[in-house]
Amino acid sequence: MYEKTVTIVAQHGIHTRPAAVLVKEAKQFDCDVMVECQGKQASAKSLFKLQTLGLYKGVTVRVFAEGASAELAVNKIAELLETLS
């Protein structure tokens, strides 16, 4: 398993449009990519589930994955969480 912790800096958090970009990117990886925020977990490949996490500005998020491309997937999703707005 590979994991990374990031803080969301987007002024309005990760709302529907940036979350859709994140999901599209996550679906390109064969591994299971998960996002954990405030004790809740969701697949990075599910827009609906991501929206239940409360991905607001300033919250700390843990991104983790298992599988062949886990490190690449986690790094890409973590980068998007830090830069999308």
Side-chain angles (χ1 to χ4, degrees), residues 2-6 61-64 74-75 78-79 82:
Y2 186 78
E3 67 178 74
K4 196 168 195 176
T5 302
V6 297
V61 177
R62 182 172 77 108
V63 182
F64 59 99
V74 168
N75 286 333
E79 176 188 339
E82 289 179 315

Side-chain angles (χ1 to χ4, degrees), residues 18-56:
V21 171
L22 192 136
V23 168
K24 183 178 179 182
E25 190 65 37
K27 286 184 176 182
Q28 297 194 26
F29 297 100
D30 289 333
C31 59
D32 292 327
V33 185
M34 300 294 290
V35 177
E36 181 179 331
C37 181
Q38 301 174 1
K40 295 185 207 173
Q41 292 182 3
S43 170
K45 297 179 180 183
S46 170
L47 180 59
F48 175 75
K49 290 183 180 181
L50 279 178
Q51 291 179 308
T52 67
L53 295 181
L55 301 173
Y56 304 111

Side-chain angles (χ1 to χ4, degrees), residues 10 12-24 47 50 80 84-85:
H12 300 290
I14 304 299
H15 53 84
T16 305
R17 277 188 219 121
V21 171
L22 192 136
V23 168
K24 183 178 179 182
L47 180 59
L50 279 178
L80 287 171
L84 285 174
S85 57

